[in-house]
Amino acid sequence: MKASPIRIALIATTLALATAGTANAAGCLKGAVVGGVAGHYAGHHAVVGAVGGCMVGRHLAKQRSQQEAQQQAAHRQAAQAQ
């Protein structure tokens, strides 16, 4: 029995939403859109692209937030030293 693309998309979306809560969704939506479009044009693999894009987008957002936190800590430390 062949799974329909709509069924695969629904399963992938359900899994993505179940694993990424609202607090962890930063970067996921943008990455999923970009990955889905890229996957569609790269051989009709939009669902795979969307899942991969979500993971990459989340990773980049996490890195960005860590860098911002380090910069804020450095600014606070410099302000306390004065």
Side-chain angles (χ1 to χ4, degrees), residues 20-27 58:
T22 56
N24 295 330
R58 176 65 192 131

Side-chain angles (χ1 to χ4, degrees), residues 2 11 21 25 33:
K2 185 177 177 188
I11 291 170
V33 170

Side-chain angles (χ1 to χ4, degrees), residues 7-79:
R7 188 172 186 190
I8 293 172
L10 288 173
I11 291 170
T13 303
T14 303
L15 289 174
L17 291 175
T19 58
T22 56
N24 295 330
C28 182
L29 295 177
K30 288 181 185 178
V33 170
V34 173
V37 171
H40 172 73
Y41 286 110
H44 300 289
H45 297 292
V47 175
V48 175
V51 172
C54 178
M55 289 189 291
V56 170
R58 176 65 192 131
H59 175 70
L60 294 175
K62 185 176 178 181
Q63 281 183 335
R64 192 177 316 118
S65 68
Q66 287 176 347
Q67 288 176 347
E68 289 173 1
Q70 288 176 351
Q71 288 175 351
Q72 288 177 355
H75 286 285
R76 274 188 253 130
Q77 188 176 20

